[in-house]
Amino acid sequence: MRSRTRRPLLGADGRLFIVAADHPARGALGAGLRPAAMASRIGLLERLAVALDRPGVDGVLGTPDIIEDLAVLGALEGKVVLGSMNRGGLQGAAFELDDRFTAYDVPTMVRDGVDLAKLLIRVDLDDLGTASTLESAAAAVTAAAAARLPILLEPFMSGRQSGRLCNDLSTDAVIRSVAIASGLGASSAYTWLKLPVVEHMERVAEATTMPTLLLGGDPTTAPDETFASWQHALTLPGMRGLVVGRTLLYPADDDVVGAVDTAAGLVHARVTAQHGVHHH
């Protein structure tokens, strides 16, 4: 990790396209209609290596186990590395909202040359577990800012429906989550946001002055619709790029290269290597 070639966080166009693979550490192995898509670690690493090799892919988001495997494979040379911090809120657990910080911490990320920290903040006003998560998240933001380590906050307003935790993807809920996340920590100087693409993204973009990356989520809509919604959202002020995992690593047709190249073209609005087509 420490001997790998690093690069500036942002390239010339000020945009970032990051492939996400921090789901397994939360016990979330499903993608689309495949409940165990990410169960094979070898398969996941192969797909990540393919994705990281494509032009326009700036880096990867993961927990230490995945990041270190990719480093050993030499797949992180000249890439941006995002370290995932809190994965203790296991998918489906009774304690899912008491989302403990069980992966990367700030001193290790600074030591190992991780470029950007990432944490998840699910706020359920009916669950007492939210309080300690908010406090821990604030401490992580404070520590990252003190270390001058950029930190990406992924907030949701969440609630239980028939026992299952669901994120509220209404525009108003996303805006409220942005307000809550933005105020965490003793400084916001290094804070970035990671937000879902929802209706009326213009209002979401107006809710923050922080640089924002858009998340892909679990693929449910048709790929064309998904790509179109990302394309529109990326035109809004403050929107700096995409962090996408399962939608690109496990597309319905299993064409990882095609999915990755399409998304890279949207973020960097330039040649998609696959077809040599210019997107303006």
Side-chain angles (χ1 to χ4, degrees):
M1 282 297 293
R2 284 173 238 169
S3 64
R4 75 183 181 93
T5 307
R6 292 181 69 181
R7 52 157 267 184
L9 183 59
L10 293 173
D13 66 358
R15 295 201 154 205
L16 273 179
F17 175 39
I18 304 297
V19 177
D22 61 341
H23 315 84
R26 221 168 58 73
L29 298 174
L33 301 172
R34 289 177 273 187
M38 303 180 91
S40 165
R41 181 53 56 97
I42 305 304
L44 174 58
L45 289 169
E46 284 174 344
R47 287 166 187 257
L48 283 167
V50 166
L52 283 164
D53 206 34
R54 302 306 297 165
V57 176
D58 295 297
V60 62
L61 161 64
T63 44
D65 54 316
I66 289 180
I67 296 301
E68 288 162 8
D69 276 352
L70 290 170
V72 169
L73 290 168
L76 299 181
E77 295 303 309
K79 298 294 181 186
V80 173
V81 175
L82 280 65
S84 190
M85 301 182 72
N86 61 329
R87 301 276 86 187
L90 303 180
Q91 188 178 50
F95 53 85
E96 189 164 351
L97 281 146
D98 193 341
D99 204 347
R100 304 293 174 101
F101 283 67
T102 55
Y104 272 117
D105 58 22
V106 170
T108 306
M109 286 187 281
V110 171
R111 182 196 75 190
D112 289 355
V114 171
D115 301 291
L116 190 66
K118 178 259 179 180
L119 57 87
L120 177 63
I121 306 160
R122 288 166 303 179
V123 176
D124 182 349
L125 302 178
D126 295 319
D127 192 306
L128 294 174
T130 294
S132 62
T133 299
L134 287 172
E135 186 178 27
S136 303
V141 173
T142 299
R148 302 191 169 193
L149 174 70
I151 186 163
L152 181 66
L153 311 189
E154 178 179 10
F156 293 100
M157 302 305 296
S158 304
R160 291 195 186 274
Q161 293 171 8
S162 356
R164 191 167 155 269
L165 192 64
C166 299
N167 297 327
D168 184 343
L169 297 180
S170 67
T171 308
D172 287 343
V174 173
I175 288 170
R176 192 175 189 189
S177 78
V178 166
I180 293 166
S182 299
L184 292 174
S187 171
S188 69
Y190 289 84
T191 300
W192 288 55
L193 295 174
K194 178 183 179 210
L195 300 175
V197 178
V198 297
E199 282 189 301
H200 310 299
M201 273 310 277
E202 298 79 6
R203 289 181 54 215
V204 175
E206 204 174 292
T208 181
T209 55
M210 292 164 185
T212 300
L213 298 175
L214 302 164
L215 63 95
D218 194 23
T220 44
T221 47
D224 292 351
E225 286 175 49
T226 304
F227 287 131
S229 70
W230 294 347
Q231 187 164 26
H232 166 67
L234 284 166
T235 64
L236 299 170
M239 301 298 163
R240 295 299 191 95
L242 292 174
V243 181
V244 188
R246 294 166 291 189
T247 310
L248 302 180
L249 294 172
Y250 298 91
D253 61 2
D254 264 339
D255 179 7
V256 176
V257 168
V260 168
D261 286 353
T262 300
L266 293 179
V267 174
H268 294 294
R270 60 174 190 206
V271 176
T272 53
Q274 187 190 8
H275 302 299
V277 179
H278 287 276
H279 292 292
H280 293 294

